[in-house]
Amino acid sequence: MTQTKFPEGFLWGGATAANQCEGAWDMDGKGPTIFDYITNGTHTQPRVFTKTHRPECYYPNLSGIDHYHRYREDIALFAEMGFNVYRMSIEWARIFPNGDDAKPNQKGIEFYRDLFNECKKYGIEPLVTIDHFDMPLGLVEKYRGWSDRRVVGFFMNYVNVLFREYKELVKYWLTFNEINILAQPFGSLIAGIPAEDGQSFFNMNKESDEARSERFQALHHQFVASAKAVKLGHTVNPEFIIGCMIAGMTSYPFTCHPDDMIETQIKMNMGNFLCSDVQVRGYYPGYAKRYFRENNVSLNITDEDALILKEGTVDFYSFSYYASSCVSTNPEVAKKAGNMVFGVPNPYLKASDWGWVIDPKGLRYYLNYVHDRYQIPLMVVENGLGAVDVKNEDGSVHDDYRIEYMRLHIEQMKEAIADGVELMGYTPWGCIDLVSAGTGEMKKRYGFIYVDKDDLGNGTYDRSRKDSFFWYKKVIASNGEDLD
């Protein structure tokens, strides 16, 4: 029989990232991280990495939304909506301030223990991302981040502490957030490979062969670290469920020309499936080896690495989904698009204020594509609409546009379940307003909960419920049946 409803026990919740919400960047022994040194920006002015804090610049991640001090209030609001899962991340530098410390920071350990216990009080399962686009700055400065194999060992020290300290409090884990971003030219900074002072966060400059090789070597080290973490986790607690996390990018050919079809296949493979093929299947696919040959990518992959990748495959596949794009081999079409990250806009679809194409059916397409490929459980761990919300004098926020966006995407998840996809949960992004990773803005809001903070850090940081808060509460209570 075909399942046409969300299954019993479906995980409903929301998602955040520590570096975008916690703040308290230098409190209780936490060390500095990459994002502590990235300025704010806009959708037209990029964020910039600086080697020191410049007095003329604003660094929004330093304060986040002060979740570090307000997590009890935030989790109570999540519980009021009916969450049974909360996807969050841990700041590596709260546990090991420099990354290579001999002993962990006990205050950091206790902070997350208290947070997990607060979740448990309300029956909320933490879904913990171990590495979410950030790392101790000490590892960047001393080792060139993930490009150095020694960082795998430092990561495993960190993972070992997490798994043993929280083995009774956390069941669901993700190893690396959107690991496939390292397969993109702008992934070097996220990999901890030192950037030039003042370099754009989304640096799209042409790479040398050496720089490209270093970036893919860093990605390989993350593959090895992920596989080792999966093996360790299943040893520490066989009940752990550990997944990968991919930036899901649905791509369509702009035309039915065979060249556009082939180019789309290449983009889907290298953009989405290189990383999940390694993490789910346990080996590098042939198309990746061809890419490495043709782009002069030289990697150090040992026989031991190959064995570890095979033995440390993940239990489930999770991904983010925001938008789709089209692929064209016509240089004139590509030139007019002008957006190297998202490709050519789809003429049949509308876009958000930040240029992200809104395509709910692309989510169903992607769910089917991935499930057919791997036949393992899937989870949508990021999805949402970044928009400018207006808070009225009475404190209300009428965000019907967000409700409509989410309604359409949830409907398509239900269609995918009817198609036979095994979907285990849904955690929309930025369930509470937080600092945008891409632009550093606060006005690009995703949350069901409004946070009174502006793009320069001004405000009370007080929380209030948007219309979408009450709508999502109803969705959860009905297990996805009541979407009106």
Side-chain angles (χ1 to χ4, degrees):
M1 297 291 293
T2 301
Q3 174 74 34
T4 58
K5 298 182 179 181
F6 288 100
E8 185 177 349
F10 189 80
L11 297 171
W12 293 99
T16 66
N19 70 78
Q20 293 169 254
C21 71
E22 281 183 4
W25 78 283
D26 59 352
M27 291 190 66
D28 295 333
K30 177 187 169 294
T33 70
I34 295 170
F35 269 89
D36 292 337
Y37 288 83
I38 299 179
T39 67
N40 63 332
T42 67
H43 64 295
T44 57
Q45 184 68 33
R47 304 187 74 179
V48 169
F49 174 80
T50 65
K51 292 187 181 295
T52 59
H53 285 151
R54 299 177 181 176
E56 72 274 16
C57 294
Y58 173 60
Y59 298 84
N61 297 74
L62 300 183
S63 57
I65 57 166
D66 198 28
H67 182 67
Y68 189 79
H69 295 108
R70 297 173 180 249
Y71 69 88
R72 289 184 177 87
E73 175 187 359
D74 295 340
I75 291 169
L77 287 166
F78 299 159
E80 185 182 336
M81 275 187 282
F83 283 20
N84 57 15
V85 65
Y86 169 41
R87 184 197 168 208
M88 50 160 288
S89 69
I90 290 178
E91 276 279 21
W92 187 345
R94 281 203 196 280
I95 308 300
F96 287 96
N98 301 295
D100 60 355
D101 311 80
K103 294 182 179 179
N105 172 34
Q106 196 61 36
K107 287 187 177 180
I109 291 172
E110 293 307 317
F111 166 72
Y112 291 109
R113 190 189 312 282
D114 291 344
L115 194 156
F116 295 146
N117 278 320
E118 197 70 15
C119 287
K120 290 295 183 183
K121 184 171 82 174
Y122 294 103
I124 297 173
E125 288 279 359
L127 168 59
V128 177
T129 309
I130 298 170
D131 184 300
H132 193 125
F133 280 176
D134 212 2
M135 71 188 311
L137 204 60
L139 298 180
V140 177
E141 294 171 340
K142 290 176 65 176
Y143 304 97
R144 295 187 66 81
W146 281 100
S147 65
D148 192 315
R149 186 175 286 268
R150 287 174 290 181
V151 171
V152 175
F154 300 136
F155 179 78
M156 291 310 299
N157 292 340
Y158 163 56
V159 171
N160 186 55
V161 168
L162 301 189
F163 284 169
R164 297 187 188 281
E165 290 285 347
Y166 309 129
K167 65 180 179 181
E168 305 299 330
L169 292 171
V170 179
K171 177 181 179 181
Y172 298 98
W173 301 87
L174 301 176
T175 54
F176 290 89
N177 178 70
E178 294 185 335
I179 190 171
N180 54 323
I181 294 299
L182 267 66
Q184 305 295 326
F186 56 83
S188 293
L189 181 57
I190 293 169
I193 298 171
E196 295 296 324
D197 190 46
Q199 177 177 303
S200 168
F201 176 51
F202 283 114
N203 179 29
M204 298 297 292
N205 292 335
K206 185 175 177 61
E207 287 179 304
S208 66
D209 291 347
E210 292 77 11
R212 187 181 303 108
S213 292
E214 184 176 27
R215 174 166 55 84
F216 276 103
Q217 187 68 54
L219 176 58
H220 174 71
H221 290 154
Q222 287 196 353
F223 288 151
V224 173
S226 176
K228 284 189 170 187
V230 171
K231 289 184 65 179
L232 176 64
H234 289 158
T235 300
V236 171
N237 185 347
E239 299 300 313
F240 280 172
I241 300 174
I242 308 172
C244 63
M245 198 292 199
I246 303 295
M249 297 177 278
T250 295
S251 296
Y252 307 121
F254 191 68
T255 72
C256 56
H257 192 290
D259 288 349
D260 284 0
M261 297 294 292
I262 293 295
E263 192 64 26
T264 302
Q265 184 178 56
I266 292 170
K267 182 174 181 179
M268 288 285 282
N269 281 341
M270 288 301 298
N272 294 294
F273 299 124
L274 161 60
C275 294
S276 52
D277 279 355
V278 173
Q279 292 185 288
V280 178
R281 292 174 169 171
Y283 56 87
Y284 279 90
Y287 60 81
K289 295 176 181 178
R290 175 177 179 173
Y291 175 88
F292 295 154
R293 287 194 308 269
E294 293 180 350
N295 290 275
N296 301 314
V297 174
S298 176
L299 298 179
N300 176 20
I301 302 175
T302 68
D303 291 342
E304 182 184 4
D305 290 347
L307 181 61
I308 290 167
L309 296 181
K310 199 70 176 174
E311 293 176 344
T313 55
V314 295
D315 302 315
F316 70 103
Y317 176 113
S318 78
F319 67 100
S320 60
Y321 178 83
Y322 295 100
S324 65
S325 66
C326 295
V327 177
S328 175
T329 53
N330 183 330
E332 291 304 312
V333 172
K335 186 188 300 182
K336 289 177 183 177
N339 190 327
M340 298 177 69
V341 177
F342 292 107
V344 178
N346 192 320
Y348 296 99
L349 299 172
K350 295 180 180 179
S352 74
D353 291 340
W354 275 264
W356 295 33
V357 171
I358 299 172
D359 180 15
K361 291 183 178 179
L363 175 57
R364 176 186 177 185
Y365 174 85
Y366 191 84
L367 282 163
N368 273 281
Y369 205 120
V370 174
H371 193 259
D372 287 348
R373 191 179 188 98
Y374 299 126
Q375 297 293 307
I376 63 173
L378 310 183
M379 187 170 182
V380 182
V381 293
E382 288 186 29
N383 171 242
L385 177 67
V388 177
D389 295 333
V390 177
K391 185 178 180 181
N392 300 305
E393 289 185 5
D394 62 359
S396 63
V397 178
H398 303 310
D399 56 342
D400 293 346
Y401 40 86
R402 181 169 294 108
I403 292 171
E404 180 66 9
Y405 175 99
M406 299 194 67
R407 176 190 293 117
L408 294 173
H409 284 79
I410 292 172
E411 286 174 349
Q412 292 304 313
M413 288 193 295
K414 190 181 293 188
E415 291 291 334
I417 291 171
D419 293 334
V421 171
E422 185 180 0
L423 187 60
M424 57 188 282
Y426 179 57
T427 58
W429 177 248
C431 48
I432 181 170
D433 292 344
L434 39 65
V435 175
S436 167
T439 67
E441 295 170 294
M442 278 299 299
K443 71 177 180 181
K444 185 183 181 185
R445 298 176 182 273
Y446 285 87
F448 307 115
I449 300 165
Y450 186 93
V451 177
D452 182 33
K453 176 187 177 181
D454 69 14
D455 287 346
L456 294 177
N458 303 306
T460 65
Y461 289 65
D462 288 346
R463 277 63 164 149
S464 56
R465 300 162 183 80
K466 305 178 188 178
D467 287 357
S468 59
F469 179 102
F470 302 103
W471 176 83
Y472 193 48
K473 178 179 181 178
K474 185 173 60 174
V475 171
I476 295 174
S478 66
N479 197 29
E481 289 303 297
D482 188 352
L483 299 179
D484 294 332

